[in-house]
Short mmCIF file of all heavy atoms in Angstrom, two decimals:
data_model
loop_
_atom_site.label_atom_id
_atom_site.label_comp_id
_atom_site.label_asym_id
_atom_site.label_seq_id
_atom_site.Cartn_x
_atom_site.Cartn_y
_atom_site.Cartn_z
N GLY A 1 94.15 161.49 101.63
CA GLY A 1 94.83 161.78 102.87
C GLY A 1 94.93 160.59 103.81
O GLY A 1 95.70 160.63 104.79
N THR A 2 94.18 159.53 103.53
CA THR A 2 94.27 158.30 104.33
C THR A 2 95.67 157.72 104.25
O THR A 2 96.22 157.61 103.14
CB THR A 2 93.24 157.27 103.89
OG1 THR A 2 91.92 157.80 104.02
CG2 THR A 2 93.39 155.95 104.66
N ARG A 3 96.23 157.32 105.36
CA ARG A 3 97.51 156.68 105.41
C ARG A 3 97.32 155.18 105.47
O ARG A 3 96.45 154.69 106.20
CB ARG A 3 98.33 157.13 106.62
CG ARG A 3 98.76 158.58 106.53
CD ARG A 3 99.52 159.01 107.80
NE ARG A 3 99.91 160.39 107.70
CZ ARG A 3 101.09 160.76 107.18
NH1 ARG A 3 101.95 159.85 106.73
NH2 ARG A 3 101.41 162.07 107.15
N VAL A 4 98.11 154.42 104.73
CA VAL A 4 97.99 152.95 104.75
C VAL A 4 99.38 152.35 104.96
O VAL A 4 100.37 152.81 104.44
CB VAL A 4 97.33 152.39 103.46
CG1 VAL A 4 95.87 152.77 103.40
CG2 VAL A 4 98.07 152.90 102.21
N PRO A 5 99.45 151.25 105.73
CA PRO A 5 100.73 150.59 105.99
C PRO A 5 101.33 149.96 104.74
O PRO A 5 100.59 149.49 103.85
CB PRO A 5 100.43 149.56 107.04
CG PRO A 5 99.10 149.95 107.63
CD PRO A 5 98.37 150.63 106.50
N MET A 6 102.62 149.87 104.69
CA MET A 6 103.30 149.23 103.56
C MET A 6 102.99 147.70 103.53
O MET A 6 102.77 147.16 102.45
CB MET A 6 104.83 149.38 103.69
CG MET A 6 105.32 150.74 103.33
SD MET A 6 105.53 150.94 101.51
CE MET A 6 106.37 152.52 101.46
N HIS A 7 103.03 147.10 104.68
CA HIS A 7 103.00 145.60 104.74
C HIS A 7 101.60 145.01 104.49
O HIS A 7 101.47 143.85 104.11
CB HIS A 7 103.49 145.10 106.05
CG HIS A 7 102.58 145.32 107.22
ND1 HIS A 7 102.35 146.57 107.75
CD2 HIS A 7 101.76 144.46 107.94
CE1 HIS A 7 101.48 146.48 108.75
NE2 HIS A 7 101.12 145.20 108.87
N SER A 8 100.52 145.80 104.73
CA SER A 8 99.20 145.24 104.64
C SER A 8 98.38 145.75 103.42
O SER A 8 97.32 145.15 103.14
CB SER A 8 98.42 145.59 105.93
OG SER A 8 98.24 147.01 106.01
N SER A 9 98.82 146.78 102.76
CA SER A 9 98.06 147.35 101.65
C SER A 9 98.54 146.89 100.29
O SER A 9 99.75 146.59 100.12
CB SER A 9 98.08 148.89 101.72
OG SER A 9 99.39 149.37 101.55
N GLY A 10 97.65 146.91 99.31
CA GLY A 10 98.06 146.56 97.97
C GLY A 10 99.06 147.57 97.41
O GLY A 10 100.03 147.19 96.78
N VAL A 11 98.82 148.86 97.64
CA VAL A 11 99.74 149.87 97.14
C VAL A 11 101.09 149.74 97.82
O VAL A 11 102.14 149.96 97.19
CB VAL A 11 99.17 151.30 97.32
CG1 VAL A 11 98.07 151.60 96.33
CG2 VAL A 11 98.71 151.55 98.73
N GLY A 12 101.08 149.40 99.10
CA GLY A 12 102.36 149.23 99.82
C GLY A 12 103.20 148.14 99.33
O GLY A 12 104.41 148.26 99.10
N LYS A 13 102.57 146.98 99.18
CA LYS A 13 103.35 145.78 98.70
C LYS A 13 103.79 146.00 97.26
O LYS A 13 104.85 145.53 96.88
CB LYS A 13 102.48 144.53 98.86
CG LYS A 13 102.43 144.06 100.32
CD LYS A 13 101.51 142.88 100.52
CE LYS A 13 100.09 143.32 100.55
NZ LYS A 13 99.13 142.26 101.00
N ALA A 14 102.97 146.67 96.45
CA ALA A 14 103.38 146.96 95.07
C ALA A 14 104.58 147.88 95.08
O ALA A 14 105.51 147.68 94.30
CB ALA A 14 102.20 147.60 94.31
N TYR A 15 104.59 148.88 95.97
CA TYR A 15 105.70 149.81 96.07
C TYR A 15 106.98 149.10 96.48
O TYR A 15 108.03 149.28 95.92
CB TYR A 15 105.37 150.92 97.06
CG TYR A 15 106.33 152.07 97.01
CD1 TYR A 15 106.11 153.16 96.18
CD2 TYR A 15 107.45 152.08 97.86
CE1 TYR A 15 107.03 154.24 96.13
CE2 TYR A 15 108.34 153.14 97.81
CZ TYR A 15 108.14 154.18 96.94
OH TYR A 15 109.04 155.24 96.92
N LEU A 16 106.84 148.25 97.51
CA LEU A 16 108.03 147.47 97.98
C LEU A 16 108.56 146.58 96.86
O LEU A 16 109.76 146.44 96.70
CB LEU A 16 107.62 146.61 99.20
CG LEU A 16 107.40 147.37 100.52
CD1 LEU A 16 106.78 146.39 101.55
CD2 LEU A 16 108.70 147.91 101.05
N GLY A 17 107.63 146.01 96.07
CA GLY A 17 108.04 145.13 94.99
C GLY A 17 108.78 145.81 93.91
O GLY A 17 109.50 145.15 93.10
N ALA A 18 108.65 147.11 93.79
CA ALA A 18 109.29 147.86 92.72
C ALA A 18 110.66 148.41 93.21
O ALA A 18 111.41 148.95 92.39
CB ALA A 18 108.42 149.01 92.25
N MET A 19 110.95 148.30 94.49
CA MET A 19 112.24 148.75 95.01
C MET A 19 113.29 147.72 94.67
O MET A 19 113.06 146.58 94.36
CB MET A 19 112.16 148.92 96.53
CG MET A 19 111.21 149.99 97.01
SD MET A 19 110.99 150.02 98.80
CE MET A 19 112.63 150.65 99.31
N LYS A 20 114.59 148.13 94.73
CA LYS A 20 115.66 147.18 94.59
C LYS A 20 115.56 146.18 95.71
O LYS A 20 115.25 146.53 96.85
CB LYS A 20 117.01 147.93 94.63
CG LYS A 20 117.29 148.81 93.44
CD LYS A 20 118.66 149.46 93.51
CE LYS A 20 118.92 150.30 92.31
NZ LYS A 20 120.27 150.94 92.36
N PRO A 21 115.87 144.88 95.44
CA PRO A 21 115.67 143.83 96.41
C PRO A 21 116.33 144.14 97.81
O PRO A 21 115.72 143.96 98.81
CB PRO A 21 116.33 142.60 95.76
CG PRO A 21 116.14 142.86 94.30
CD PRO A 21 116.30 144.33 94.12
N GLU A 22 117.59 144.63 97.73
CA GLU A 22 118.26 144.88 99.01
C GLU A 22 117.63 146.03 99.78
O GLU A 22 117.56 146.05 101.00
CB GLU A 22 119.76 145.16 98.76
CG GLU A 22 120.09 146.36 97.94
CD GLU A 22 120.09 146.09 96.44
OE1 GLU A 22 119.54 145.04 96.03
OE2 GLU A 22 120.60 146.93 95.68
N GLU A 23 117.16 147.03 99.03
CA GLU A 23 116.49 148.17 99.70
C GLU A 23 115.14 147.76 100.27
O GLU A 23 114.76 148.17 101.39
CB GLU A 23 116.28 149.29 98.67
CG GLU A 23 117.60 149.97 98.22
CD GLU A 23 117.35 151.07 97.20
OE1 GLU A 23 116.19 151.22 96.78
OE2 GLU A 23 118.32 151.74 96.81
N ALA A 24 114.41 146.96 99.53
CA ALA A 24 113.12 146.44 100.01
C ALA A 24 113.28 145.64 101.26
O ALA A 24 112.52 145.76 102.24
CB ALA A 24 112.43 145.67 98.92
N GLU A 25 114.29 144.75 101.27
CA GLU A 25 114.54 143.92 102.42
C GLU A 25 114.89 144.73 103.67
O GLU A 25 114.38 144.45 104.77
CB GLU A 25 115.65 142.87 102.13
CG GLU A 25 115.79 141.80 103.17
CD GLU A 25 114.51 141.03 103.44
OE1 GLU A 25 113.74 140.76 102.45
OE2 GLU A 25 114.24 140.68 104.61
N ALA A 26 115.74 145.70 103.49
CA ALA A 26 116.12 146.58 104.63
C ALA A 26 114.87 147.35 105.14
O ALA A 26 114.71 147.52 106.35
CB ALA A 26 117.18 147.55 104.20
N PHE A 27 114.04 147.77 104.21
CA PHE A 27 112.79 148.48 104.57
C PHE A 27 111.88 147.57 105.36
O PHE A 27 111.31 147.98 106.37
CB PHE A 27 112.12 148.99 103.30
CG PHE A 27 111.26 150.18 103.53
CD1 PHE A 27 111.71 151.46 103.25
CD2 PHE A 27 109.98 150.05 104.01
CE1 PHE A 27 110.90 152.56 103.44
CE2 PHE A 27 109.15 151.15 104.21
CZ PHE A 27 109.64 152.43 103.92
N ILE A 28 111.73 146.33 104.91
CA ILE A 28 110.84 145.36 105.56
C ILE A 28 111.24 145.11 107.00
O ILE A 28 110.44 145.02 107.89
CB ILE A 28 110.82 144.05 104.77
CG1 ILE A 28 110.01 144.24 103.46
CG2 ILE A 28 110.17 142.91 105.59
CD1 ILE A 28 110.11 143.06 102.52
N GLN A 29 112.56 145.07 107.23
CA GLN A 29 113.09 144.82 108.60
C GLN A 29 112.72 145.92 109.57
O GLN A 29 112.78 145.72 110.77
CB GLN A 29 114.61 144.56 108.53
CG GLN A 29 115.02 143.38 107.76
CD GLN A 29 114.30 142.09 108.17
OE1 GLN A 29 114.19 141.79 109.39
NE2 GLN A 29 113.77 141.32 107.24
N GLN A 30 112.37 147.08 109.07
CA GLN A 30 112.08 148.23 109.92
C GLN A 30 110.60 148.48 110.12
O GLN A 30 110.18 149.31 110.92
CB GLN A 30 112.71 149.52 109.37
CG GLN A 30 114.22 149.46 109.24
CD GLN A 30 114.78 150.73 108.63
OE1 GLN A 30 114.72 151.82 109.23
NE2 GLN A 30 115.27 150.63 107.42
N LEU A 31 109.77 147.73 109.36
CA LEU A 31 108.33 147.95 109.42
C LEU A 31 107.73 147.48 110.75
O LEU A 31 108.24 146.52 111.35
CB LEU A 31 107.61 147.24 108.28
CG LEU A 31 107.90 147.80 106.87
CD1 LEU A 31 107.21 146.95 105.82
CD2 LEU A 31 107.43 149.25 106.78
N ASP A 32 106.63 148.08 111.15
CA ASP A 32 105.94 147.74 112.38
C ASP A 32 105.25 146.38 112.30
O ASP A 32 105.15 145.66 113.29
CB ASP A 32 104.93 148.87 112.71
CG ASP A 32 104.23 148.59 114.03
OD1 ASP A 32 104.90 148.17 114.99
OD2 ASP A 32 103.01 148.81 114.12
N MET A 33 104.73 146.01 111.13
CA MET A 33 104.09 144.76 110.90
C MET A 33 102.88 144.52 111.80
O MET A 33 102.63 143.45 112.30
CB MET A 33 105.05 143.59 111.02
CG MET A 33 106.23 143.61 110.06
SD MET A 33 105.76 143.46 108.32
CE MET A 33 105.22 141.74 108.25
N ALA A 34 102.12 145.59 112.08
CA ALA A 34 100.92 145.48 112.93
C ALA A 34 99.82 144.67 112.25
O ALA A 34 99.72 144.66 111.02
CB ALA A 34 100.41 146.87 113.26
N LYS A 35 99.02 144.00 113.04
CA LYS A 35 97.90 143.20 112.48
C LYS A 35 96.72 144.13 112.30
O LYS A 35 96.07 144.53 113.28
CB LYS A 35 97.59 142.02 113.43
CG LYS A 35 96.71 141.00 112.74
CD LYS A 35 96.70 139.69 113.52
CE LYS A 35 96.01 138.56 112.75
NZ LYS A 35 96.68 138.20 111.50
N ILE A 36 96.40 144.43 111.07
CA ILE A 36 95.29 145.39 110.73
C ILE A 36 93.95 144.68 110.71
O ILE A 36 92.95 145.19 111.21
CB ILE A 36 95.56 146.09 109.41
CG1 ILE A 36 97.01 146.65 109.34
CG2 ILE A 36 94.52 147.18 109.16
CD1 ILE A 36 97.30 147.66 110.44
N THR A 37 93.93 143.52 110.09
CA THR A 37 92.68 142.69 110.03
C THR A 37 93.09 141.25 110.41
O THR A 37 94.27 140.95 110.59
CB THR A 37 92.03 142.67 108.65
OG1 THR A 37 92.82 141.85 107.76
CG2 THR A 37 91.98 144.08 108.04
N SER A 38 92.10 140.37 110.46
CA SER A 38 92.40 138.99 110.80
C SER A 38 93.15 138.32 109.65
O SER A 38 93.68 137.22 109.85
CB SER A 38 91.12 138.23 111.07
OG SER A 38 90.22 138.29 109.92
N PHE A 39 93.23 138.96 108.48
CA PHE A 39 93.90 138.40 107.34
C PHE A 39 95.34 138.95 107.15
O PHE A 39 96.07 138.47 106.30
CB PHE A 39 93.13 138.68 106.05
CG PHE A 39 91.76 138.04 105.99
CD1 PHE A 39 90.65 138.70 106.50
CD2 PHE A 39 91.58 136.76 105.44
CE1 PHE A 39 89.39 138.12 106.43
CE2 PHE A 39 90.36 136.17 105.40
CZ PHE A 39 89.23 136.86 105.90
N THR A 40 95.72 139.95 107.97
CA THR A 40 97.01 140.58 107.79
C THR A 40 98.17 139.69 108.10
O THR A 40 98.21 139.07 109.18
CB THR A 40 97.13 141.86 108.69
OG1 THR A 40 95.99 142.67 108.42
CG2 THR A 40 98.38 142.59 108.38
N ASN A 41 99.14 139.61 107.20
CA ASN A 41 100.35 138.89 107.47
C ASN A 41 101.28 139.75 108.31
O ASN A 41 101.50 140.92 108.03
CB ASN A 41 101.07 138.55 106.14
CG ASN A 41 102.54 138.16 106.38
OD1 ASN A 41 102.82 137.20 107.08
ND2 ASN A 41 103.45 138.90 105.81
N THR A 42 101.83 139.17 109.39
CA THR A 42 102.74 139.92 110.28
C THR A 42 104.13 139.28 110.31
O THR A 42 104.97 139.64 111.14
CB THR A 42 102.17 139.99 111.70
OG1 THR A 42 101.97 138.65 112.21
CG2 THR A 42 100.85 140.73 111.73
N ASP A 43 104.40 138.34 109.40
CA ASP A 43 105.65 137.65 109.34
C ASP A 43 106.53 138.30 108.24
O ASP A 43 106.17 138.34 107.09
CB ASP A 43 105.40 136.18 109.01
CG ASP A 43 106.67 135.31 109.11
OD1 ASP A 43 107.72 135.76 108.56
OD2 ASP A 43 106.61 134.24 109.69
N ARG A 44 107.69 138.81 108.65
CA ARG A 44 108.58 139.46 107.65
C ARG A 44 109.08 138.54 106.55
O ARG A 44 109.24 138.93 105.44
CB ARG A 44 109.78 140.07 108.39
CG ARG A 44 109.40 141.15 109.42
CD ARG A 44 110.64 141.77 110.10
NE ARG A 44 110.27 142.34 111.37
CZ ARG A 44 109.70 143.53 111.48
NH1 ARG A 44 109.45 144.26 110.44
NH2 ARG A 44 109.38 143.98 112.70
N THR A 45 109.33 137.26 106.92
CA THR A 45 109.79 136.28 105.95
C THR A 45 108.75 136.05 104.89
O THR A 45 109.05 135.97 103.69
CB THR A 45 110.17 134.96 106.64
OG1 THR A 45 111.17 135.17 107.62
CG2 THR A 45 110.70 133.98 105.61
N VAL A 46 107.52 135.94 105.32
CA VAL A 46 106.38 135.76 104.39
C VAL A 46 106.24 136.98 103.51
O VAL A 46 106.03 136.89 102.31
CB VAL A 46 105.06 135.47 105.14
CG1 VAL A 46 103.87 135.44 104.19
CG2 VAL A 46 105.17 134.15 105.90
N LEU A 47 106.39 138.17 104.12
CA LEU A 47 106.26 139.39 103.33
C LEU A 47 107.38 139.48 102.28
O LEU A 47 107.11 139.84 101.13
CB LEU A 47 106.33 140.60 104.22
CG LEU A 47 106.26 141.98 103.55
CD1 LEU A 47 104.98 142.14 102.76
CD2 LEU A 47 106.39 143.10 104.57
#
């Protein structure tokens, strides 16, 4: 039941990586990109 963000979790990035490139890119542009830990990437280009 725990919810995890797409941009910071292993399952989230794996899921994005399996999407069609154009769909994944459009999805990334809508993400909140919140900083969850001191290691979290918050840059969409890097993601």
Side-chain angles (χ1 to χ4, degrees):
T2 298
R3 293 176 178 272
V4 290
M6 285 276 188
H7 72 288
S8 64
S9 63
V11 286
K13 284 175 281 191
Y15 191 90
L16 287 170
M19 295 173 70
K20 291 182 179 179
E22 62 275 15
E23 292 178 354
E25 189 57 37
F27 205 99
I28 288 170
Q29 296 308 312
Q30 300 178 68
L31 292 177
D32 183 41
M33 299 295 290
K35 195 165 187 65
I36 310 300
T37 75
S38 60
F39 296 90
T40 306
N41 164 59
T42 58
D43 187 314
R44 299 181 202 280
T45 301
V46 173
L47 179 59

